[in-house]
Amino acid sequence: MSHGARVIRTGVSSGAAAAPPPVTVASSSAGSDAEPMDGGYFRSCAGMLKVAQMISLLIGFISVNNSSWTDYSAYSFFQIVTMCDLVMILFFYVMHIFRVYRKLTCVSWPLAEFLHYLIGTILLLIGSIVAAAKSYNITGLVAGATFGFLATILCVISMWSSYKVSCITQSTSKYR
């Protein structure tokens, strides 16, 4: 996903012996393609947003898990949704860091990430509403529901930015 300057050599001259090509350094914030990790993704807006989502989901899960609650079905649903979202966000985060999307081109990764955020956000919103309604003013449950709502807002922002980037760049590139 980096668009830095690259030097591409197509051949050598036929008159002289072939000299080794000069070493060039790609001028990109994301690093060169030969590096196994994308260091620029750590500092990107999308990367920091994924980290914020994971932290808020983890805090929401821990808050609900360490509280005493009586409605087993409501809070077990909330815990399952937060952990599934956390695992999927971690999966996409690792996929971006290790550039797996470049090796597995048979999957539309922007679409997969968008669908994950769409389904996960709806389930997280439902779980957070139910957790807030059944909290009975127990501080741990209220904190869990609050962090669930925060994670929902962060997921909506990620979903919107994912849709905006994938659809706008495709629609503008047709006319160039």
Side-chain angles (χ1 to χ4, degrees):
M1 289 192 177
S2 65
H3 301 287
R6 303 268 194 273
V7 175
I8 299 173
R9 297 230 178 238
T10 58
V12 295
S13 66
S14 59
V23 177
T24 59
V25 177
S27 61
S28 171
S29 63
S32 69
D33 293 338
E35 294 177 6
M37 289 180 57
D38 186 4
Y41 191 74
F42 292 117
R43 295 176 299 278
S44 71
C45 184
M48 289 189 283
L49 194 58
K50 279 187 182 26
V51 170
Q53 291 168 359
M54 289 187 285
I55 290 171
S56 63
L57 286 169
L58 187 62
I59 291 172
F61 175 80
I62 291 172
S63 298
V64 167
N65 194 39
N66 291 335
S67 298
S68 60
W69 34 281
T70 57
D71 194 356
Y72 182 75
S73 62
Y75 289 106
S76 61
F77 176 75
F78 181 79
Q79 287 179 323
I80 289 169
V81 167
T82 55
M83 279 297 103
C84 287
D85 269 357
L86 179 71
V87 167
M88 287 304 296
I89 292 169
L90 181 65
F91 170 76
F92 283 114
Y93 188 71
V94 168
M95 183 198 66
H96 281 289
I97 289 174
F98 290 108
R99 298 179 178 146
V100 175
Y101 58 89
R102 290 185 181 175
K103 295 176 182 77
L104 297 174
T105 57
C106 60
V107 177
S108 174
W109 290 109
L111 179 63
E113 194 167 3
F114 176 75
L115 289 176
H116 157 258
Y117 277 121
L118 180 67
I119 295 168
T121 302
I122 292 170
L123 291 175
L124 190 59
L125 180 64
I126 292 169
S128 297
I129 289 171
V130 170
K134 305 260 182 178
S135 66
Y136 305 114
N137 291 330
I138 299 172
T139 56
L141 301 179
V142 171
T146 303
F147 280 101
F149 283 122
L150 177 66
T152 302
I153 292 168
L154 293 173
C155 286
V156 166
I157 293 170
S158 288
M159 184 172 55
W160 178 76
S161 66
S162 161
Y163 175 75
K164 184 183 85 167
V165 167
S166 64
C167 290
I168 289 176
T169 55
Q170 289 176 359
S171 65
T172 58
S173 64
K174 286 182 183 178
Y175 301 108
R176 289 185 182 183

